[in-house]
Amino acid sequence: MNRMSSCIFCKIIKGDIPSFKLFESDKTFAFLDINPLSKGHALVIPKHHGEKLADIPDDSLTELLPVAKKIAIALGATNYNILQNNGRLAHQEVDHVHVHIIPKPNEAEGLGVKWPQQKIDMGELKALAEEIKSKM
Ligand code: AMP
Ligand code: ZN
C-alpha cells in the first residue's frame, strides 16, 4: 500500500472514513477536528496528497486560506490561530498537509503557544535575509 492509499485524510476526502464536512470544492476539503482544542476547531486540506507544505503544488494551495477565513467568520471567532504544522518536531501527526483553524475563546482553551524569542545581532539578521533571498 502506498502512502496515499493509507492516508487517513485521503480516506476522509474519498468518504471512506466519515467526517463532519464543512466545505468541498474540486481542490479543497474542510471538516471539524475530531479532538478539538476548542469548540469549532477545524481543518482545511488540499485534495492533492502531500506530506509537507513544499510537497503541494501552488495551484492546490490557493483556496486554503480563503476557506480558513470563511470558517473563522462562520464561527464568529474574534480570537483564533491559523496553524500549519510540518514535521514531527513541529507537532505534525497526520502526514497530509492541513491548516488548522483554532478558536481561542479563553486562556485555557485553544492553542497554547510558547514564544521563545532570541536576541540576534542586526548584521547576522541582514546576512540571513540575503542568504534566503539568494535561494528563492
Ligand atoms: P497535526 O498535529 O497538525 O498533524 O494535527 C492533526 C489533527 O488531525 C489533530 O488535531 C487531530 O485531532 C486531527 N485528526 C486526526 N484524525 C482525524 C479524523 N479522523 N477526523 C478529524 N480530525 C482528525
Ligand atoms: Zn493524504
Side-chain angles (χ1 to χ4, degrees):
M1 208 160 39
N2 66 32
R3 285 197 161 169
M4 209 173 138
S5 57
S6 64
C7 170
I8 186 165
F9 285 179
C10 283
K11 286 180 181 164
I12 284 177
I13 293 164
K14 280 198 280 172
D16 292 347
I17 289 180
S19 72
F20 293 102
K21 181 166 88 174
L22 299 175
F23 176 90
E24 182 170 12
S25 72
D26 56 332
K27 56 185 180 185
T28 309
F29 195 96
F31 54 105
L32 288 175
D33 195 295
I34 205 166
N35 291 126
L37 295 181
S38 57
K39 185 178 174 186
H41 183 170
L43 301 170
V44 187
I45 63 180
K47 286 189 171 176
H48 183 106
H49 175 87
E51 189 175 323
K52 295 181 182 176
L53 186 60
D55 301 321
I56 309 294
D58 287 355
D59 68 350
S60 288
L61 292 174
T62 54
E63 287 182 355
L64 297 183
L65 272 183
V67 172
K69 175 183 165 183
K70 273 189 216 302
I71 292 171
I73 292 169
L75 288 171
T78 44
N79 296 278
Y80 56 95
N81 295 96
I82 302 295
L83 179 69
Q84 196 265 311
N85 299 326
N86 295 272
R88 291 288 172 274
L89 256 186
H91 209 285
Q92 182 178 16
E93 285 170 13
V94 176
D95 291 334
H96 181 128
V97 164
H98 49 282
V99 174
H100 294 261
I101 300 102
I102 312 172
K104 184 73 181 167
N106 53 54
E107 270 295 320
E109 295 171 88
L111 184 68
V113 185
K114 277 196 233 157
W115 202 262
Q117 289 183 304
Q118 304 180 352
K119 294 260 180 282
I120 185 163
D121 173 79
M122 286 305 124
E124 237 180 278
L125 213 50
K126 183 171 190 293
L128 180 59
E130 294 304 331
E131 185 193 338
I132 296 168
K133 279 192 286 180
S134 76
K135 292 175 181 169
M136 282 169 70

